[in-house]
Amino acid sequence: MVHKKTITAASLVQEGHPIATQAVPADFAWLRDSTGSETQTLHFHLENGCTGYVQIAWAYLALTTTIQTNAMFALPGQPCVFETHNGHNLKVKKDSQEYECKGLAMSWDKDYTKLSIKYTAGRLRSPKGATVTLEFVRKSDGYKIGDGKNYIGDGTAQHSFYPTGEVTAQGEVGGTKFESKGLAMFVHAHSGNIMPYNVGAEWNTVFFVGHPESMPVDERTTANSSTYHVLQYTTPKNYGSVSCSNAGFTDSNGLRAIFSNTQVEHHDLVEDKNGSGYSLPDRVVFTSTGNTVDGKSAKVVFDSKPTQRLHDIDVLQEMPYVLRRLVQALITKPFVFERLEKDTKIRIEIEGEEPYTLVGVAFDELTLMK
């Protein structure tokens, strides 16, 4: 087997230059330029306890273009709802300020500070399907590590983030109507000139929202919340098994620290009782190191124990037939495991400040391919 190199965006940053750069609206524009995949995703935690995301996914594989809408809504006391549907055609207006497919529309205002989302994909297919509208107002600039691109063999994979913003949501999921607000983050992901399954063999994603443990419960609000997010993946063996990571920490004032190095440790592996064929970690430790936006060294440690299993995605089963046949010839079992942890804690260490602990809720997504 010929082994190809992975060169990370972080490794290409010249000494003396900041490891991260500001992501501008152009970094969130649809590219759809080669064999590969692309997604636009909003992750959120709401005050009513609802956790979820909405996503438009584009892929061009084996001369076939597919558009998919994906959405997950986990309301307290209700079964988790996951919906994936064929979005048919993706219509993108100039500069990607507005774009839509069947059942999901997203549009930015002229300053790219407010994103409006209308999700109706579930309701279009079934009277019991989900319908939700969301409005996301970002609280900070966007960021990317280096120029945002990791070079994997002859292809690239890039991610840009709006790491925090207030979100309002209203809709109906599983027959339950709701209206609430909370915090969210927005991510644009793009891989070019490479099949999606060659980007990463294992992916770890976290989105945490919480408050200082010392803050009285009755004083905790969305406005004074902090967030921590991680998007880490390890390239396949034939691309060097290299870890590529992005992570950020925000407080009530916006983006506070960016981390280009996140170590992920899986502990207490247990054979999946649902029959995926994988062993899943009952404990995952994330250690992110980097710098604050004003140059101080910073570190976050998240010793996660995601006990609530939300949903498993058997990727092959959700794929259109032609793509499923192609991918199945190369990957046996791509699976996504989505879990939730409540009343969890993360440790923040910033140079010149007393370390402190945040307590909150974390969404955990683990993707495995073999």
Side-chain angles (χ1 to χ4, degrees):
M1 178 182 291
V2 177
H3 289 261
K4 298 183 178 182
K5 289 184 178 180
T6 295
I7 303 173
T8 66
S11 70
L12 294 174
V13 176
Q14 296 181 2
E15 187 175 352
H17 289 70
I19 198 71
T21 55
Q22 182 176 335
V24 297
D27 292 305
F28 296 88
W30 286 96
L31 299 176
R32 300 175 295 163
D33 55 357
S34 62
T35 294
S37 63
E38 193 166 2
T39 58
Q40 305 269 10
T41 311
L42 184 78
H43 292 268
F44 56 85
H45 290 295
L46 303 180
E47 290 181 352
N48 67 349
C50 179
T51 290
Y53 60 82
V54 291
Q55 178 186 79
I56 297 179
W58 172 95
Y60 179 69
L61 307 172
L63 302 179
T64 301
T65 299
T66 62
I67 309 297
Q68 202 81 1
T69 63
N70 302 303
M72 190 273 289
F73 308 98
L75 285 160
Q78 303 277 347
C80 178
V81 172
F82 173 77
E83 298 180 341
T84 182
H85 297 291
N86 186 339
H88 298 282
N89 295 317
L90 177 62
K91 301 175 182 177
V92 181
K93 293 189 177 181
K94 184 180 179 181
D95 299 327
S96 295
Q97 193 166 350
E98 297 179 30
Y99 43 92
E100 66 177 323
C101 62
K102 184 178 180 180
L104 183 53
M106 299 186 180
S107 62
W108 289 97
D109 66 1
K110 63 179 181 179
D111 297 323
Y112 287 84
T113 57
K114 182 172 72 174
L115 175 68
S116 299
I117 299 175
K118 186 174 183 180
Y119 176 82
T120 57
R123 185 59 56 89
L124 287 174
R125 274 84 174 181
S126 167
K128 297 182 179 180
T131 176
V132 178
T133 59
L134 303 109
E135 187 173 278
F136 168 70
V137 180
R138 62 184 179 90
K139 294 172 61 178
S140 79
D141 291 331
Y143 84 90
K144 56 188 177 182
I145 302 298
D147 70 353
K149 293 182 181 179
N150 296 310
Y151 294 84
I152 305 170
D154 297 323
T156 60
Q158 62 192 88
H159 293 86
S160 299
F161 299 81
Y162 283 130
T164 187
E166 295 194 12
V167 64
T168 56
Q170 59 181 0
E172 184 174 352
V173 175
T176 299
K177 294 182 178 180
F178 71 93
E179 183 172 354
S180 189
K181 63 180 180 178
L183 285 185
M185 75 163 177
F186 187 79
V187 186
H188 176 218
H190 171 268
S191 64
N193 200 34
I194 187 170
M195 293 293 195
Y197 48 79
N198 280 330
V199 175
E202 176 185 301
W203 296 70
N204 293 275
T205 301
V206 162
F207 181 48
F208 167 95
V209 172
H211 295 85
E213 189 175 31
S214 60
M215 180 182 289
V217 174
D218 59 359
E219 295 180 10
R220 298 175 185 177
T221 67
T222 290
N224 60 25
S225 297
S226 295
T227 75
Y228 168 64
H229 69 266
V230 174
L231 193 158
Q232 182 274 342
Y233 59 92
T234 303
T235 59
K237 288 183 179 179
N238 56 317
Y239 290 93
S241 298
V242 175
S243 175
C244 304
S245 63
N246 309 260
F249 168 63
T250 76
D251 61 18
S252 58
N253 295 316
L255 182 60
R256 184 77 196 280
I258 299 170
F259 311 95
S260 61
N261 181 15
T262 297
Q263 302 296 317
V264 182
E265 304 169 42
H266 289 183
H267 298 278
D268 305 332
L269 296 173
V270 178
E271 183 177 351
D272 180 19
K273 62 183 180 181
N274 290 356
S276 68
Y278 287 104
S279 293
L280 304 180
D282 280 346
R283 177 177 170 234
V284 185
V285 180
F286 299 86
T287 305
S288 298
T289 54
N291 294 93
T292 62
V293 293
D294 57 356
K296 300 176 183 178
S297 62
K299 179 180 179 180
V300 173
V301 178
F302 179 27
D303 193 340
S304 169
K305 301 177 181 65
T307 54
Q308 183 179 344
R309 197 157 177 171
L310 297 175
H311 184 72
D312 301 344
I313 304 172
D314 183 341
V315 177
L316 289 178
Q317 292 301 315
E318 303 294 353
M319 279 186 169
Y321 175 77
V322 174
L323 296 184
R324 183 166 67 246
R325 295 287 292 180
L326 170 66
V327 174
Q328 197 167 25
L330 300 163
I331 303 176
T332 306
K333 289 183 178 181
F335 263 84
V336 180
F337 305 93
E338 298 179 334
R339 301 185 289 181
L340 188 69
E341 184 177 6
K342 299 177 181 178
D343 298 319
T344 189
K345 297 178 181 181
I346 68 173
R347 186 72 170 169
I348 312 294
E349 299 176 15
I350 295 176
E351 180 184 356
E353 301 181 12
E354 284 294 320
Y356 61 98
T357 299
L358 297 175
V359 61
V361 59
F363 168 74
D364 175 287
E365 183 179 87
L366 172 63
T367 302
L368 298 172
M369 301 187 189
K370 69 177 182 181

